[in-house]
């Protein structure tokens, strides 16, 4: 984990650096090139060159731009999705590999560079050291040589120049001993005189010894220690001799030896006297010491010779030879001793006169490393070459520093490579993720589409059989039915319709989710809706023995404008839930104005069990709206903005069910979320209802909330804003005038409700009030009797709660018997369910009318009509089923049907003919237009929308144009007003026939002047709905 | 005997999905004033079918530049008439064919069209049988029974 963090951090830092580098480099390079190129362009007139530079510049710029842009792009990848830029994996791998290779090469080069540098330095050191040693050796040698030369002059001066000689062997040896510090390199000095053969005897005599040759001891160098000069043979006869006469003590054994007899010496001597310079022998093991040495020989001349003297003259002038023995080994050793750091180098000295076979003069032949410095030594003898070879004793140390540097560089480069790699990887991964997301998104979208299609298909499939059911019910309603049967059928139909609408609502969920749902603005009767909803659930509630009741405040207007379907949907959802989870007690729906509640909010007391509908405890209703914004914003003093035409409804659905567990309360409005998995198994349902309700309430500018106490019950409350559907003129004048004409027969009646529960009594009061019955609420039977006696006017009925009836029916009946009223009122029993009806009916009195709850206007009216005997059978026929009315409406009407599809045409014509219409068919829009050119005889036109050549919209537009023209003419009096006096202006109702009933199509229909649309194939009810808008009831026009 | 056969046959047609409620509706429209209404409409429908199918087949024959718009409008018409008549299977196939056409799926179009062809022919045969049965009943002097599905 921490490693990952570190890596991540590293990546970030790397990113930053990379960016910085790129930025810097690009800036630098851009600037640099800019300067340079401008300079070039300015100074050089040659266009070719300028072009080239600009091209180069462009290339470079491009390169850097590319790098810098890609570098700058990297960090941005993490934050924005790259549109079309594809991050190439191989490109980045190549970059990384290139980077690594480059830096490996760089580090190798660095290593090589540094180590070669070190080598060079080492070589230089060696050279300087070697040269220094060689120079010193040379100097010292030269010093010694000079001294020997000086000595030769001394001899020529004091030995040959004086007569008799000032020097004898003793003087010489003493002198040389005492001056040996001046010749630190010579181990000994000796002087040999030139003796011609003619002078040999004379000389031998003078010296007292014979001249001896030295060959023998050279041939036998092994016996140096027992070297015996006496054993040497006298020199054979020669032309001339060079016997040693003086010698330093260290080399006193060479006295009397003939130098010319030794091969090396002879050569030396001959060379020395001819050249007049000091000459050196090749190194050879010295007599006695057996160390390597060289002999330096100077010729001593009789007189001072000019420097350009010929060798012959020199030979003539030669008097003798002075030789010094140089002990090279000790010489070099001494020298090296004097110098510091002699340990570091090995010194070899060679005589390279014969270059192919150098003779080692000093130094061991230890092989060291290959580094060697050769310095020439010049000892003043042009004939002989010497050189000094120096090597380091130790091998060169490992080049630790360069290695470290290059290694460090490599490591850094690798790290950067890793960073690049990681970054690239990460980017690629992010990109892949992005792609994946994209794919998933696409998939999800596709799934969404599929879901919608699925829903559409399924709902279509369900709607088809449901249409059968509804149609059958419809047909059933056309038959002769008594009131109860009719009520049942109506309930069945309403339930079926609710199911169909529910299916539509499932479809709506998709719409809601995509925010495409639009609410209708239709006038509707709220009370009617609630009655419908109640009927939906009445069977179930009766079966469960749960009391279902509705109370609508009378301050709520009769007609509202809004979306009744959606309102109903919310109610159905809430009530459906309630009835699912309630086993006993009640479900109570109240509808109030928000203002009303706000006014009473302070006065309302906490609910006690007695004040509820069924006497069971309920969840606190007020809590359910405590989160509502409209309420909480300020302390409930008309804080919600309600413009006067707006009606703020608050609807509560209260039940005494199991309640919602506390832990599930938070997610109750989440789609497809149920309290527990077992819920759907025991109660069914999808869990979609509440979320839809919430959305719908939101769409109605309202809110939804609930309060729930487990084991006690739940109360759901929602608010919705509608506009007032009451026309100002008909306001409150007569609530029954337009929509409930059937209830008129109850008007003016009076009833007494006996109920000890005020809430329930209020519900009863509300429903009877709706029928126009004046209701008095009393809490017990005695009160009722008392009221009947004292009250003014006759009481037509006594409404008794089943609860009270069961308790004191007998007593009540007895009392009624005992104290008969003038006109005995009808007893009405308000029962919860059918089966628990009236038991123990005492005789002597009319059986009471039993009204099974839930109370709703139509049912109540029907039951009362039957019970009171005032009902009239013609009532249902008054309105009649659509089929009949359709027949009435359409009979004798001349209708044009336009459809390009023959089959459809025939079917539609057949359907309309069935209703008695006079049908004319037309296969195309053009033909239809010619038929509909005013004046014409048609009463209506059914127009297919999708037609070749001219579609329905266009045809309608044309028709409308023609009518417009005609109307204008009529206005101007140009055309005759048609005989049908009422047709002062032309407007033929045109209905679209279409297979798809999409909202958009509908709007399109209206836009181009159509009056409505019917779906193919025809549905009687829809046809009726549309047709009835244009045709007044037949009685008005025809009769 | 024939009545029973007629009833069974009709029910089988419904159950096999050849027909749907619209056919029932259609039958309801037939009364004394238009005794051959159904037959008339149905024969119209089959004429329509033949025409439209051959239209589509021709359009689809032009490999390479198939006029999907033409096919689409034809299939739309066919769908309309089949739903008016209540030829359920043909209608279903029309819906599929329309989809194929909308997505310009040539293979699908051709396959669907073949199926439509087969389907309408078989429906034609079945309805022919049904009408024959009806005819027999009428000739035998019986009434055509109401068949409730």
């Amino acid at each position: 984990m921490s490693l990952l963090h570190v890596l991540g951090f590293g990546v970030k830092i790397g990113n930053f650096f990379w960016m910085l580098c790129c930025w810097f480099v690009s800036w630098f390079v851009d600037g640099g090139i800019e300067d340079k190129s401008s300079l070039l362009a300015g100074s050089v007139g040659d266009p070719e060159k300028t072009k080239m530079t600009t091209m180069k510049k462009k290339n470079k710029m491009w390169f850097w731009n590319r790098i810098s842009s890609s570098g700058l792009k990297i960090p941005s990848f993490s934050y924005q999705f790259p549109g079309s830029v594809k991050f190439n994996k191989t490109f980045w791998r190549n970059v990384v590999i290139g980077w690594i290779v480059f830096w490996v090469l760089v580090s190798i080069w660095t290593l090589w560079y540094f180590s070669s540098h070190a080598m060079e330095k080492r070589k230089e050191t060696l050279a300087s050291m070697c040269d220094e040693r060689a120079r010193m050796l040379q100097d010292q040698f030269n010093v010694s040589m000079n001294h020997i030369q000086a000595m030769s002059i001394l001899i020529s001066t004091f030995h040959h120049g004086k007569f008799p000689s000032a020097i004898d062997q003793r003087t010489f040896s003493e002198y040389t001993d005492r001056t040996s510090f001046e010749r630190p390199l010579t181990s000994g000095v000796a002087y040999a005189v030139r003796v011609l053969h003619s002078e040999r005897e004379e000389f031998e005599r003078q010296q007292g010894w014979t001249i001896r040759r030295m060959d023998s001891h050279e041939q036998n160098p092994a016996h140096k220690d027992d070297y015996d000069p006496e054993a040497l043979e006298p020199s054979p006869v020669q032309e001339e001799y060079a016997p040693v006469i003086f010698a330093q003590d260290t080399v006193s054994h060479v006295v009397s030896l003939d130098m010319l007899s030794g091969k090396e010496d002879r050569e030396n001597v001959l060379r020395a006297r001819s050249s007049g310079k000091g000459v050196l022998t090749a190194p050879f093991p010295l007599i006695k010491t057996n160390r390597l040495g060289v002999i330096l020989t100077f010729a001593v001349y009789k007189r001072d010779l000019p420097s350009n003297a010929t060798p012959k003259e020199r030979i003539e002038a030669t008097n003798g030879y002075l030789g010094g023995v140089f002990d090279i080994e000790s010489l070099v050793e001494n020298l090296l001793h004097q110098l510091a750091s002699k340990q570091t180098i090995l010194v070899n000295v060679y005589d390279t006169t014969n270059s192919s076979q150098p003779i080692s003069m000093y130094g061991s032949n230890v092989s060291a490393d290959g580094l060697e410095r050769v310095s020439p030594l010049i000892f003043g003898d042009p004939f002989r070459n010497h050189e000094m070879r120096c090597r380091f004793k130790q091998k060169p140390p490992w080049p630790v520093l360069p290695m470290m540097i290059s290694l460090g560089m490599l490591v850094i480069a690798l790290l950067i490579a890793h960073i690049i790699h990681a970054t690239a990887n990460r980017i690629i991964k992010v990109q892949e993720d992005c792609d994946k997301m994209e794919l998933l998104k696409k998939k999800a979208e596709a799934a969404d589409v599929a879901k919608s299609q699925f829903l559409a298909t399924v709902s279509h499939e369900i709607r088809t059989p449901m249409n059968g059911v509804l149609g059958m019910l419809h047909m059933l309603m056309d038959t002769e039915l008594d009131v109860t049967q009719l009520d049942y059928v109506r309930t069945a139909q309403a339930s079926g319709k609710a199911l169909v609408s529910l299916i539509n609502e499932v479809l709506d969920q998709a719409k809601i989710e995509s925010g495409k749902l639009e609410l209708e603005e239709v006038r509707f009767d709220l009370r009617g809706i609630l009655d419908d909803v109640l009927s939906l659930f009445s069977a179930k509630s009766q079966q469960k023995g749960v009391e279902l009741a509705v109370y609508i405040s009378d301050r709520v207007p009769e007609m509202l404008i809004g979306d009744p379907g959606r309102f109903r949907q919310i109610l159905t959802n809430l009530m459906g839930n309630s009835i699912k989870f309630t086993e006993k007690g009640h479900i109570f729906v109240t509808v109030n104005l928000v203002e009303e509640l706000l006014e009473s909010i302070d006065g309302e007391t906490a609910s006690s069990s007695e004040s509820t509908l069924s006497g069971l405890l309920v969840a606190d209703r007020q809590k359910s709206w405590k989160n509502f914004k409209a309420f909480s914003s300020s302390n409930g003093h008309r804080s919600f903005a309600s413009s006067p035409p707006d009606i703020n409804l608050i609807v509560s659905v209260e039940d005494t069910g199991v309640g919602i567990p506390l832990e599930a309360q938070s997610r109750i409005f989440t789609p497809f979320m149920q309290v527990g998995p077992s819920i759907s198994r025991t109660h069914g349902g999808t869990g979609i209802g509440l979320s839809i309700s919430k959305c719908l309430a939101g769409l109605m500018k309202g809110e939804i909330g609930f309060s729930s106490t487990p084991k006690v019950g739940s109360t759901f409350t929602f608010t919705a804003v509608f506009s007032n559907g009451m026309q100002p003129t008909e306001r409150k004048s007569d609530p029954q005038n337009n929509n409930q004409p059937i209830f008129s027969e109850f008007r003016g009646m009076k009833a007494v409700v006996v109920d000890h529960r005020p809430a329930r009594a209020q519900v009863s009061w509300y429903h009877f009030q709706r029928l126009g019955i004046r209701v008095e609420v009393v809490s017990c039977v005695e009160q009722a009797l008392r009221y009947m006696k004292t009250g003014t006017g006759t009481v037509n009925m006594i409404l008794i709660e089943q609860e009270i009836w069961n308790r004191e029916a007998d007593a009540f009946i007895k009392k009624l018997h005992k104290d008969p009223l003038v006109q005995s009122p009808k007893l009405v029993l308000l029962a919860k369910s059918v089966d628990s009806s009236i038991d123990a009916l005492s005789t002597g009195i009319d059986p009471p009318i039993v009204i099974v709850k839930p109370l709703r206007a139509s049912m109540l009216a029907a039951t009362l009509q039957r019970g009171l005997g005032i009902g009239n059978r013609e009532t249902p026929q008054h309105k009649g089923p659509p089929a009949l009315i359709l027949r009435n409406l359409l009979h004798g009407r001349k209708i044009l049907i336009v459809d390009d599809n023959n089959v459809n045409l025939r079917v539609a014509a057949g359907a309309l003919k069935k209703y008695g219409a006079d049908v004319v068919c037309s296969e195309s829009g053009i033909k239809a237009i010619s038929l509909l050119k005013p004046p014409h005889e048609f009463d209506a036109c059914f127009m297919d929308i999708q037609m070749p050549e001219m579609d329905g919209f266009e045809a309608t537009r044309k028709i409308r144009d023609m009518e417009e023209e005609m109307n204008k003419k009529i206005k101007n009096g140009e055309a005759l007003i048609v005989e049908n006096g009422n047709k002062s202006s032309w407007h033929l109702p045109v209905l679209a026939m279409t297979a798809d009933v999409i909202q958009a199509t509908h709007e399109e229909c209206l836009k181009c002047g159509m009056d409505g649309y019917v779906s193919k194939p025809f549905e009687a009810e829809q046809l009726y709905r549309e047709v009835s808008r244009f045709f007044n009831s037949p009685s008005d026009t025809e009769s | 005997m024939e009545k029973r056969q007629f009833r069974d046959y009709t029910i089988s047609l419904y159950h096999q999905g050849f027909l749907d409620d619209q056919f029932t509706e259609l039958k309801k429209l037939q009364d004394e004033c238009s005794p051959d209404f159904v037959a008339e409409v149905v024969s119209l429908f089959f004429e329509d079918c033949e025409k439209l199918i051959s239209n589509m087949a021709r359009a689809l024959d032009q490999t390479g530049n198939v006029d999907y718009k033409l096919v689409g409008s034809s299939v739309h018409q066919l769908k309309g008439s089949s739903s008016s008549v209540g030829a359920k299977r043909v209608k279903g196939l029309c819906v599929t064919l329309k989809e194929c056409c909308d997505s310009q799926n040539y293979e699908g179009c051709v396959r669907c069209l073949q199926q439509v062809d087969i389907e309408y022919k078989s429906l034609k045969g079945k309805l022919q049988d049904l009408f024959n049965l009806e005819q027999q009943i009428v000739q035998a002097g019986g009434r055509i029974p109401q068949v409730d599905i």
Side-chain angles (χ1 to χ4, degrees), chain A residues 89 208 287 442 464 479 567 630 725 750 775 868 891 893 963:
Chain A
K89 197 170 181 171
I287 301 167
K442 270 183 196 145
T464 313
T479 59
F567 181 75
K750 206 167 172 190
V775 180
L868 295 174
H891 187 77
R893 302 279 184 182
E963 285 172 346

Side-chain angles (χ1 to χ4, degrees), chain A residues 460-461 464-465 467-468 472 475 900-904 906-907 909-912 914 946 948 995 1016-1018, chain B residues 21-22 25-26 28-29 31 37 40-41 44-46 48 76-85 88 91:
Chain A
H460 185 263
E461 290 306 310
T464 313
N467 280 338
M472 287 302 129
M475 283 165 74
D900 65 307
N901 191 321
N902 259 331
V903 181
N904 288 350
R906 288 308 307 264
V907 173
L912 288 174
K914 194 185 157 206
Q946 270 205 344
K1016 282 190 293 193
F1018 290 158
Chain B
D21 299 338
Q22 189 55 34
E25 293 281 330
L26 208 63
K28 266 194 245 160
L29 295 177
D31 51 16
F37 180 73
E40 212 175 305
V41 169
L44 260 176
F45 168 64
F46 286 128
D48 229 26
H76 182 79
Q77 281 206 19
L78 190 58
K79 195 181 92 185
S81 26
S82 56
S83 75
S84 278
V85 172
K88 194 176 172 188
K91 184 179 138 199

Side-chain angles (χ1 to χ4, degrees), chain A residues 104-122:
Chain A
V104 165
L105 289 177
V106 164
S107 60
I108 286 170
W109 178 80
T110 314
L111 182 63
W112 171 80
Y113 176 78
F114 275 96
S115 50
S116 69
H117 218 264
M119 192 69 93
E120 202 68 32
K121 210 164 177 187
R122 198 171 143 86

Side-chain angles (χ1 to χ4, degrees), chain A residues 42-59:
Chain A
S43 61
V44 184
D46 187 1
E48 195 67 21
K49 205 167 177 184
T50 325
K51 207 166 129 193
M52 257 172 66
T53 46
T54 44
M55 256 172 67
K56 258 188 207 164
K57 176 189 153 192
K58 257 185 203 162
N59 282 344

Side-chain angles (χ1 to χ4, degrees), chain A residues 654-727:
Chain A
E654 172 189 290
D655 68 53
T656 55
V658 292
I660 303 160
L662 292 173
E663 67 270 14
Q665 289 191 2
S666 58
R667 54 183 153 92
I668 205 85
F669 289 115
T670 318
F672 302 108
M673 201 48 99
Q674 290 183 327
V675 167
S678 60
I679 291 290
S680 61
R681 252 174 273 139
T682 50
H683 300 284
T686 53
I688 200 175
L690 282 175
S691 86
I692 292 186
S693 302
K694 187 178 174 144
C695 295
L696 290 176
L699 282 171
M700 294 183 189
K701 292 177 231 144
E703 289 161 277
I704 192 163
F706 70 99
S707 79
S708 182
T709 317
K711 304 252 166 30
V712 170
S714 319
T715 303
F716 280 82
T717 302
F718 69 95
T719 58
V721 180
F722 294 102
S723 33
N724 197 338
M726 299 288 277
Q727 304 299 318

Side-chain angles (χ1 to χ4, degrees), chain A residues 489-510:
Chain A
V489 173
R490 281 219 184 101
T491 308
Q493 198 186 24
S495 308
K497 279 183 177 164
L499 176 58
V500 172
S501 66
L502 219 75
I503 292 158
N504 294 343
E505 280 152 12
V506 170
L507 262 179
D508 288 342
Q509 172 74 9

Side-chain angles (χ1 to χ4, degrees), chain B residues 5-28:
Chain B
Q5 201 184 345
F6 175 78
R7 187 190 298 269
D8 290 349
Y9 196 68
T10 313
I11 288 171
S12 79
L13 282 184
Y14 278 91
H15 280 187
Q16 286 163 22
F18 281 104
L19 298 171
D20 63 16
D21 299 338
Q22 189 55 34
F23 191 73
T24 324
E25 293 281 330
L26 208 63
K27 280 205 141 174
K28 266 194 245 160

